[in-house]
Amino acid sequence: MTDAYRIEGLHYKYGDNSVIDLAQYEFQQAMTHVLVGPNGSGKTTLFNVLSLLLKPLSGEIYLLGEKVIDENRLALRRRIGYVQQRPYLFNTSVFENIAIGMKLRGVSKHLRESRTNNIIEQLGLNSLKNKRAHELSGGEMQKIALARTLVLEPEILILDEPFTYLDKAFSLILETLLLNIREHKTQTVIISTHDHMRAHLLGDHVSSIINGKLIDESTINLIHGRYLSDKQVFDTGKLLITIGHANQETSIIAVEPNEIVLSLHELDSSMRNRFQGHVTGFVAYDDRIEVSIDAGEKFHAVISDHAMKELDLEIGSKIWVSFKSSAVKLVN
Amino acid sequence: MDYFTQAFLSAFKLILLFDTELYYVAWTSLKISLISVTLTAIICLPLGILFSLNRFRGKRSIQNILNTLMALPTVVVGLLLFGLLGRQGPMGELGLLYTQTAMIAGQCILIFPIILNLVIAGANTADPRIASTSIVMGANHYQKNIIFISEVRFAMLAAIVAAFGRAIGEVGVAMMLGGNIEGYTRTMTTAIALETSKGEFEFGLALGFLLLLVAYIVNILMERFNRLST
């Protein structure tokens, strides 16, 4: 299958600050990719580059198999639908706003009207249809921005924090729609969110974005601190984590959730990192369960249903978290 | 009935009875101002957008000069053009002095900095997301500029209304370049000045009311047009 995006040596800077730094990365086609990361991690800049709004300072982007160059930029951009985090609605009616992308692509008036009416119906936006865009609230604007992008049925759909201003009812509509896209593999979707649970619910593939670098979903246990080279440990201020050799400047590590072992008693094993904590939450996915533990630092471990039953865990249960130094990845 | 009340009543009578002379003067004013505003807007609207969207050396200095020219005295414009178009002037052979063309040229010069400056100010304060949203929605370069113009149309209309107000209400250019010739270059403002000096206070007052009415109607039309255009 062709990649929706293949990125090579992509860099973007604001002044001296590097906000995107991707040596090589692929977004597979017809998959839902979710990017999780804090504010200022480079999500929006990456989305602006992926939507071909911003040109990277260096590097190449291959979009749906085609190398992006000035000559094909507009044509490729029209295959992408991008909803920005703070969308701007044009100073016309809601209906005109939803139809504008089709108008710019030369879709006939008749087809524009019928597709606009369909999406309004599908998303339950009838009450807003005849309003002027600038009369809407922040949440309503977000809905219209989503509608005007979804109506284009783009091959690639990029949504930057789409749930931020949405009410619960519309969030559910959007989640259902995105799950439907994911199930039928009709479009490539790239979403950013702060919400880990939602990321796992919606995504085929979840990545964390830290300082412009994309880290695989497994590395959701991101921990900040400093490396003490003499002891070969990573000092988080609350825990000392044995990590083997690292760079003196290492400031973020990630612990593979699948490699965390949970036990009711301290294990007598070769795993040098053993911390006692308590269970703070659970999230169930198909046949596995993500357990959240507070052991000074917050850890997420992924265990099977069977292991869950054996441990008989509940919120507040005392638990031991153990992992090898090889389960630790150096992020930054 | 006192003199003032009597004058008001006579003025309304002239208006309501559609006095031919009164309405011809009003029509001349309206025609000259509308032509001036249209011609100047054709140049200044795109020029203002281009000015706002592009960076170049001396941009700030030009804007300072434009700001200064906003308060350009009408008699100064009249004086300069009088010098150019008068028989002794370099363009005297054209025979344009005391014609409607000369009045239109004068008004165009007068309102040029007003429209240009207000369009630039409107475009400069436009939401920076307009351009990025247009691109994201799939606009090419031409479509992006059209959308931008559409989004700043309120500023453009405000500039046109302000310029029209300045043109229809000015007296210096109309008097010096038009010469207040009855049935040809006599406008509402020059007629008010003349009739009042002749002691025809009612006629001047009636023209004053019409002047206000015209300004009001133009504003209403602009607002309606703006609503229709969206």
Side-chain angles (χ1 to χ4, degrees), chain B:
Chain B
M1 213 180 297
D2 63 24
Y3 167 73
F4 210 68
T5 315
Q6 183 67 48
F8 263 87
L9 288 174
S10 303
F12 278 117
K13 204 171 159 189
L14 284 169
I15 293 168
L16 296 174
L17 293 176
F18 292 101
D19 181 84
T20 321
E21 193 188 343
L22 185 82
Y23 279 95
Y24 191 80
V25 169
W27 163 240
T28 307
S29 262
L30 210 58
K31 186 176 75 177
I32 289 171
S33 298
L34 282 173
I35 293 171
S36 308
V37 169
T38 306
L39 292 176
T40 314
I42 287 169
I43 299 165
C44 289
L45 298 186
L47 194 64
I49 298 289
L50 279 174
F51 188 96
S52 168
L53 294 180
N54 292 293
R55 288 181 188 173
F56 54 89
R57 279 185 76 173
K59 187 174 176 176
R60 187 165 288 187
S61 306
I62 293 175
Q63 216 160 351
N64 285 337
I65 293 168
L66 284 172
N67 273 327
T68 310
L69 292 177
M70 290 268 282
L72 190 65
T74 60
V75 284
V76 173
V77 177
L79 189 70
L80 289 173
L81 281 183
F82 187 89
L84 281 172
L85 301 175
R87 287 194 178 191
Q88 308 293 323
M91 296 168 78
E93 283 181 14
L94 296 173
L96 290 175
L97 193 62
Y98 303 134
T99 62
Q100 290 187 355
T101 309
M103 292 166 76
I104 290 167
Q107 287 193 355
C108 285
I109 292 170
L110 191 69
I111 61 177
F112 184 90
I114 296 174
I115 299 187
L116 193 55
N117 220 8
L118 293 179
V119 170
I120 292 168
N124 283 348
T125 53
D127 195 308
R129 293 173 298 168
I130 295 172
S132 65
T133 305
S134 312
I135 295 169
V136 163
M137 291 314 298
N140 59 29
H141 189 67
Y142 170 75
Q143 290 169 327
K144 186 183 83 174
N145 288 338
I146 295 293
I147 290 174
F148 185 81
I149 290 168
S150 164
E151 288 298 292
V152 297
R153 65 192 178 280
F154 285 115
M156 289 179 163
L157 285 167
I160 289 169
V161 169
F164 183 81
R166 174 83 159 144
I168 204 158
E170 71 82 25
V171 66
V173 166
M175 189 69 91
M176 293 181 78
L177 302 176
N180 198 20
I181 301 165
E182 189 177 359
Y184 182 43
T185 58
R186 181 164 296 175
T187 62
M188 287 194 274
T189 52
T190 56
I192 290 171
L194 178 76
E195 298 300 332
T196 310
S197 67
K198 278 163 55 185
E200 299 283 345
F201 185 59
E202 306 84 27
F203 197 82
L205 203 57
L207 283 169
F209 286 135
L210 280 186
L211 202 54
L212 280 175
L213 188 69
V214 167
Y216 180 73
I217 290 170
V218 167
N219 274 293
I220 297 283
L221 285 175
M222 288 292 183
E223 201 247 331
R224 185 158 299 180
F225 168 73
N226 181 51
R227 211 181 306 150
L228 285 171
S229 72
T230 59

Side-chain angles (χ1 to χ4, degrees), chain A residues 51 53 74 77-78 80 82 84 86-92 100-101 103-105 132 148-149 152, chain B residues 127 129-141 143-144 147 150-151 153-154 227 229-230:
Chain A
S51 65
L53 181 61
L74 176 66
R77 194 189 285 134
R78 286 182 172 177
I80 304 167
Y82 175 29
Q84 292 169 289
R86 281 182 59 243
Y88 175 83
L89 294 189
F90 297 115
N91 193 5
T92 57
I100 193 156
K103 196 173 178 181
L104 295 171
R105 285 163 177 75
R132 290 188 58 82
R148 76 177 171 190
T149 302
L152 298 170
Chain B
D127 195 308
R129 293 173 298 168
I130 295 172
S132 65
T133 305
S134 312
I135 295 169
V136 163
M137 291 314 298
N140 59 29
H141 189 67
Q143 290 169 327
K144 186 183 83 174
I147 290 174
S150 164
E151 288 298 292
R153 65 192 178 280
F154 285 115
R227 211 181 306 150
S229 72
T230 59

